[in-house]
Amino acid sequence: MERYRNHKAIKSIRTANFKSFGPELWASEFVKVCHAVPVRTPDGSVKKIAITKYISGHSANRRKRAQTIKQQLINNEEVKKDTDAIDWLLKSWDRISACFFGHGQIEEISLLAELALKADLVKPNRLQKWINDDQLIGLDCNGFTNAYYSAIGCFLENPIHWHNKYKQIAGVAHSWHNINYDSAVLWARNKSKKSDKDENGDGKIDKKDRITLDTWEVIPNGHKGPDHNAHIGVIDHVMNDEVVVCQHGSNAGPRMSTYKIVSEPPNKKRGHEIWYLREKGKSKAQTVILTKTMPTYAAGD
């Protein structure tokens, strides 16, 4: 991600359109950015687009769209005048394709839209439809979360797109004192196991000792739990016994939801760090694992 952050074309977009990005950017502010991404137009004005479509995973059709738009831009005479943009198009295929797989950065999507306008591949008044319907550019829950962390300076060396990796980076939160405005929310499932502990200390394992213990794990990408599919979000803030979570949903796009803290983890043992949160307006609590604050590598660059 260092190459992405330091490229002149991306820095130009970041400086012009996303001055608020940095370590103090709250997730709720990033949600607002997703709903109104600035795109510079050829006449010098700014057009706002909403990145709300849920797109997840690789496919041949998405890869083909990415390859087509890249080639159209490289061959365009107006785009060729922008040497930084051409260099980005030639060297950043993995980042261009990420925009079509749900894992693009907001700056990258803004740059692609700007270049499409410059190449006259789309008119400003049709840009939103071009993003949503023609190109199917959007984010998934992991892409949204990672885009936010990249915006505040996290995970620049190694973007994370796998739910179960986040807690290994930041560590697990065991009480509300551990969580911060950039803690990750990871939906979890029960992973029961039999205990072979020698309760009597006589060297024998009795049947009554083989009790089932409640242990928990992050639901892996693409899997389901009893009360939720694999999912990830970011905490915006904590107030009393409630937390506000920013997340990207398949039907609602980037959004903010309020959850009541039903219970904190019972202890600090590995596999027992489970929280129960109940979304406002719903009756059933959901099982999640929360992380501590995320490490920042180059915030504000």
Side-chain angles (χ1 to χ4, degrees), residues 252-280:
R255 61 188 174 91
M256 294 175 285
S257 303
T258 301
Y259 291 81
K260 178 181 175 59
I261 300 176
V262 177
S263 67
E264 297 183 8
N267 57 58
K268 297 182 180 180
K269 293 182 180 179
R270 184 176 181 180
H272 293 260
E273 315 99 328
I274 190 68
W275 294 65
Y276 284 87
L277 303 183
R278 186 174 67 246
E279 189 171 3
K280 189 175 182 179

Side-chain angles (χ1 to χ4, degrees), residues 176-196:
W176 68 270
H177 298 284
N178 298 142
I179 57 181
N180 206 341
Y181 72 92
D182 60 351
S183 294
V185 184
L186 304 153
W187 272 255
R189 65 184 180 186
N190 186 278
K191 184 183 180 183
S192 297
K193 67 179 181 179
K194 294 292 185 180
S195 172
D196 288 335

Side-chain angles (χ1 to χ4, degrees), residues 191-209:
K191 184 183 180 183
S192 297
K193 67 179 181 179
K194 294 292 185 180
S195 172
D196 288 335
K197 186 176 180 180
D198 177 13
E199 296 288 351
N200 300 323
D202 58 3
K204 297 179 180 180
I205 306 297
D206 298 328
K207 285 186 178 180
K208 64 181 179 66
D209 293 334

Side-chain angles (χ1 to χ4, degrees), residues 18 20-21 25-38 48-53 104-107 109 128 131-132 137-140 143-145 147-148 151 246-248 252-255:
F18 303 101
S20 63
F21 281 12
L25 178 72
W26 287 45
S28 58
E29 296 172 328
F30 187 71
V31 167
K32 294 177 182 178
V33 172
C34 290
H35 285 278
V37 175
K48 298 287 183 72
I49 56 174
I51 309 302
T52 58
K53 205 168 189 67
Q105 305 298 314
I106 298 301
E107 300 99 311
I109 296 173
Q128 185 67 65
I131 289 287
N132 285 353
I137 291 176
L139 298 168
D140 62 14
F144 167 81
T145 302
Y148 167 68
C246 300
Q247 55 193 304
H248 194 296
R255 61 188 174 91

Side-chain angles (χ1 to χ4, degrees), residues 15-188:
T15 301
N17 295 344
F18 303 101
K19 296 181 178 66
S20 63
F21 281 12
E24 299 304 321
L25 178 72
W26 287 45
S28 58
E29 296 172 328
F30 187 71
V31 167
K32 294 177 182 178
V33 172
C34 290
H35 285 278
V37 175
V39 178
R40 296 180 295 191
T41 65
D43 65 4
S45 62
V46 174
K47 181 77 174 178
K48 298 287 183 72
I49 56 174
I51 309 302
T52 58
K53 205 168 189 67
Y54 186 89
I55 300 295
S56 183
H58 295 226
S59 73
N61 287 336
R62 292 173 191 169
R63 186 173 289 103
K64 184 177 180 179
R65 281 196 298 272
Q67 290 172 334
T68 299
I69 189 69
K70 174 186 174 182
Q71 203 58 48
Q72 288 175 327
L73 293 174
I74 289 175
N75 294 337
N76 184 268
E77 294 302 320
E78 285 301 313
V79 175
K80 285 181 180 178
K81 297 176 183 178
D82 188 337
T83 56
D84 290 339
I86 288 293
D87 186 72
W88 180 77
L89 289 167
L90 291 173
K91 295 180 179 179
S92 303
W93 165 243
D94 56 331
R95 301 308 314 153
I96 295 170
S97 60
C99 296
F100 294 80
F101 299 152
H103 289 164
Q105 305 298 314
I106 298 301
E107 300 99 311
E108 294 166 339
I109 296 173
S110 179
L111 178 55
L112 279 177
E114 178 181 315
L115 295 178
L117 290 173
K118 185 177 291 188
D120 202 26
L121 300 180
V122 61
K123 299 297 184 183
N125 62 356
R126 198 180 176 277
L127 186 59
Q128 185 67 65
K129 190 173 181 60
W130 184 82
I131 289 287
N132 285 353
D133 301 333
D134 298 353
Q135 302 303 322
L136 296 179
I137 291 176
L139 298 168
D140 62 14
C141 62
N142 234 326
F144 167 81
T145 302
N146 191 67
Y148 167 68
Y149 285 135
S150 293
I152 64 173
C154 294
F155 303 145
L156 303 187
E157 286 80 2
N158 185 26
I160 294 178
H161 297 306
W162 299 96
H163 297 3
N164 57 344
K165 296 292 186 181
Y166 284 85
K167 67 186 183 71
Q168 298 174 23
I169 296 292
V172 176
H174 297 102
S175 77
W176 68 270
H177 298 284
N178 298 142
I179 57 181
N180 206 341
Y181 72 92
D182 60 351
S183 294
V185 184
L186 304 153
W187 272 255

